[in-house]
């Protein structure tokens, strides 16, 4: 049904609250980069209006730190723009601070705890190789 795939990969050892937090932030990055994935608003039988959501499914995967680092490198090598969340962002409290701490790291020393991407299905599969379905 879709030529592309959206995948979020989370570092497997994060506490649940951090996995949920990172997933929310990464998803917002995908929606901002690809606004065409957002559908029409929802409306219930009573006529109440709800926010629109993605028209495309999102797959959530998990990986250890080394695999997540490899996924990060492969996405950069293939020129796929991602949403990325580094460990140090947990200690900040707002967007400006998040971007400042993110900018302190290069790909080879960033402690990536989550990454999200949307690209052609086969490319996403190649980039996320080694990750497994989140349980």
């Amino acid at each position: 049904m879709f030529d592309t795939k959206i995948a979020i990969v989370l570092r497997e050892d994060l506490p649940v609250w951090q996995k949920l937090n990172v997933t929310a932030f990464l998803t917002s990055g995908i929606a901002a980069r690809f606004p065409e994935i957002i559908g029409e608003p929802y409306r219930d039988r009573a006529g109440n209006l709800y926010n629109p959501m993605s028209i495309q499914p999102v797959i959530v995967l998990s990986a250890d730190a080394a695999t997540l680092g490899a996924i990060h490198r492969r996405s950069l090598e293939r020129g796929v723009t991602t949403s990325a969340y580094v460990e140090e962002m947990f200690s900040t409290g707002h967007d400006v601070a998040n971007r400042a701490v993110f900018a302190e790291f290069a790909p080879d020393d960033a402690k990536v705890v989550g990454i999200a991407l949307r690209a052609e299905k086969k490319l996403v599969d190649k980039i996320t190789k080694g990750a497994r379905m989140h349980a």
Side-chain angles (χ1 to χ4, degrees):
M1 180 172 208
F2 296 98
D3 296 334
T4 60
K5 182 185 253 186
I6 299 171
I8 297 174
V9 187
L10 303 170
R11 198 176 75 196
E12 63 189 8
D13 63 343
L14 295 177
V16 172
W17 77 267
Q18 288 180 335
K19 288 179 181 180
L20 295 171
N21 182 267
V22 171
T23 300
F25 274 101
L26 296 176
T27 302
S28 71
I30 295 294
R33 175 107 164 106
F34 302 101
E36 67 273 15
I37 69 166
I38 302 301
E40 296 298 318
Y42 285 70
R43 192 175 297 276
D44 66 19
R45 189 176 64 200
N48 297 303
L49 189 64
Y50 299 85
N51 291 329
M53 294 186 274
S54 175
I55 62 172
Q56 186 171 358
V58 177
I59 185 170
V60 180
L61 306 168
S62 66
D64 59 27
T67 302
L68 196 52
I71 290 167
H72 184 208
R73 284 188 299 281
R74 287 193 293 258
S75 67
L76 292 170
E77 290 165 359
R78 289 169 172 83
V80 174
T81 302
T82 65
S83 299
Y85 199 102
V86 297
E87 190 172 290
E88 291 76 11
M89 290 166 67
F90 289 125
S91 65
T92 64
H94 55 87
D95 182 57
V96 173
N98 281 346
R99 283 185 280 115
V101 74
F102 190 92
E104 293 177 12
F105 300 93
D108 60 338
D109 65 354
K111 291 181 249 168
V112 176
V113 298
I115 195 163
L117 62 151
R118 179 180 185 247
E120 187 271 323
K121 285 180 182 180
K122 289 181 182 180
L123 182 56
V124 170
D125 290 342
K126 288 178 183 177
I127 291 171
T128 60
K129 184 180 177 187
R132 59 192 173 285
M133 289 296 291
H134 191 281

